Amino acid sequence: MLSVNNIAKKLNLKVAAGNKGLEKQIKNIDISRPALEIAGYFSHYSSDRVQILGMTEISFFERMLVDEEREDRSKRLCRKETPCIIVTRDLHAPLELIEACNQNNIPLLLTETNTTNFFSQLSSYLEKELAPETNLHGVLVDVYGIGVMITGESGVGKSETALELVKNGHRLVADDNVEIKEVSNNVLMGSAPELIRNLLEIRGLGIINVMTLFGAGCILEEKRVMLNVNLELWDANKTYDRIGLEHKMVKILNSEVEQRTIPIRPGRSLAGIIEVAAMNYRLQHMGYDAALEFNGRLNNQIQKNGGLNNDF
């Protein structure tokens, strides 16, 4: 859960009143600027949101309202479910608002940042912290700028493959347990739990610290999950995609990620295959697809010869 104290520390906010309410939880990702409410219209007041007061709201509050109205608006802004009120531009908070916040234990916070920039900063922070999240068993690696989530049964070789990728100059994000947040539609951000950050478990060897062994350039704190490579033991009775026209998707939370299933067999370079998979993914999203090109050539050959010849 995210408390008011968390955002106060993260965004360097000063506490002007309502200290006893700093542990209040923020549950709504949306933010409000209560301009109409200060004017007296509270019919649709979103009281469970963080409230931001900028130059417009403060100047109207001080210049257009009499003492009784200021006191009334302040009390009505400070409802039980209101997480906090933030005043931007290092403006002086009205005394009536300070008193109301202290009486109702609503934190009143101050920032030097202008309203537009602060609104953007806070919105991005809340979207990330309050995003839906889950944990997946796998390894997340940054390969040529593509966030590759390596999955498969325990002991299939996920961590060993990640180690080989790190040795090839790629960056480890998380091993074994990946925390994933859905920060927006089809945007999944993966990171490692603090307990296992920078660590890899290699069976027969134990726990190794990737940053200590290979340097800070081989680890990454967070990466968008863009491609899922699922490792499985070779099954002679199973038909695997040999051309690449099939685009299977796997659902994580409410988003979908492209999935490639790689069968494991002695002698196969899994790290090399994953590197190629990442480069091919990038090319496809740039508009080039080798599988479609081959399919087009094949269709042209069929039309030209009136059927398949022995070359196919």
Side-chain angles (χ1 to χ4, degrees), residues 36 71 82 85 88 94 121 130 160-161 170 172 176 216 292 305:
L36 287 175
E71 185 176 346
T82 304
I85 299 174
T88 63
Q121 291 175 16
L130 298 179
E160 291 80 358
T161 302
H170 306 292
L172 173 72
D176 191 55
L292 291 178
N305 297 336

Side-chain angles (χ1 to χ4, degrees), residues 70 82 101 153 170 186 193 195 201 210 251 276 294 296:
R70 292 178 190 172
T82 304
C101 287
E153 295 182 2
H170 306 292
N186 280 329
L195 180 65
E201 177 194 354
V210 172
K251 191 170 184 179
V276 172
F294 170 74

Side-chain angles (χ1 to χ4, degrees), residues 22-294:
L22 286 174
E23 295 305 319
K24 295 189 67 172
Q25 301 299 310
I26 300 175
K27 301 178 181 179
N28 197 328
I29 198 171
D30 296 317
I31 307 170
S32 289
R33 293 188 64 179
L36 287 175
E37 287 78 4
I38 290 177
Y41 185 76
F42 280 84
S43 296
H44 299 284
Y45 177 40
S46 301
S47 56
D48 62 336
R49 301 180 183 180
V50 174
Q51 309 295 323
I52 294 183
L53 304 180
M55 178 70 75
T56 303
E57 292 81 11
I58 294 297
S59 60
F60 183 90
F61 194 95
E62 293 181 339
R63 298 178 184 179
M64 304 302 294
L65 302 180
V66 298
D67 293 344
E68 293 78 8
E69 290 174 325
R70 292 178 190 172
E71 185 176 346
D72 173 71
R73 304 295 192 273
S74 297
K75 290 181 179 179
R76 297 174 71 182
L77 282 174
C78 297
R79 296 186 181 177
K80 181 179 180 180
E81 64 274 14
T82 304
C84 65
I85 299 174
I86 303 175
V87 178
T88 63
R89 290 182 174 272
D90 209 18
L91 297 169
H92 292 290
L95 292 176
E96 293 85 356
L97 184 59
I98 293 175
E99 292 176 0
C101 287
N102 280 328
Q103 291 173 1
N104 296 279
N105 296 325
I106 305 297
L108 179 62
L109 309 173
L110 308 178
T111 177
E112 297 178 357
T113 310
N114 67 60
T115 311
T116 302
N117 288 343
F118 181 77
F119 196 101
S120 178
Q121 291 175 16
L122 180 58
S123 179
S124 298
Y125 180 67
L126 292 181
E127 284 180 1
K128 179 180 177 181
E129 294 299 318
L130 298 179
E133 60 182 299
T134 188
N135 289 68
L136 291 181
H137 176 63
V139 182
L140 181 58
V141 187
D142 175 17
V143 182
Y144 296 126
I146 305 299
V148 180
M149 179 79 177
I150 306 173
T151 56
E153 295 182 2
S154 296
V156 78
K158 299 184 295 294
S159 298
E160 291 80 358
T161 302
L163 177 60
E164 190 66 28
L165 288 168
V166 169
K167 290 175 63 179
N168 290 349
H170 306 292
R171 296 185 290 179
L172 173 72
V173 181
D175 175 50
D176 191 55
N177 183 14
V178 183
E179 293 182 342
I180 297 180
K181 289 190 175 185
E182 188 177 42
V183 297
S184 62
N185 186 33
N186 280 329
V187 177
L188 300 168
M189 301 301 296
S191 60
E194 186 175 354
L195 180 65
I196 60 173
R197 193 166 296 162
N198 307 336
L199 303 180
L200 262 177
E201 177 194 354
I202 306 298
R203 281 177 170 80
L205 185 61
I207 303 295
I208 64 171
N209 190 309
V210 172
M211 186 173 70
T212 302
L213 289 176
F214 301 101
C218 289
I219 56 102
L220 191 62
E221 183 176 340
E222 183 181 57
K223 184 65 183 179
R224 179 180 176 182
V225 180
M226 306 166 76
L227 176 65
N228 171 223
V229 174
N230 186 52
L231 305 180
E232 66 175 43
L233 297 177
W234 187 287
D235 185 354
N237 298 317
K238 185 175 180 179
T239 301
Y240 295 101
D241 185 13
R242 299 181 61 182
I243 298 177
L245 289 175
E246 299 178 11
H247 289 278
K248 183 179 178 181
M249 308 298 288
V250 59
K251 191 170 184 179
I252 302 175
L253 295 172
N254 296 311
S255 300
E256 291 188 335
V257 175
E258 185 175 333
Q259 183 183 69
R260 293 292 181 181
T261 298
I262 307 297
I264 299 175
R265 206 171 186 178
R268 302 199 84 190
S269 174
L270 294 179
I273 292 173
I274 290 176
E275 287 177 330
V276 172
M279 289 187 288
N280 194 51
Y281 175 90
R282 173 179 282 180
L283 280 175
Q284 288 176 349
H285 283 261
M286 292 174 64
Y288 173 76
D289 193 321
L292 291 178
E293 181 183 2
F294 170 74

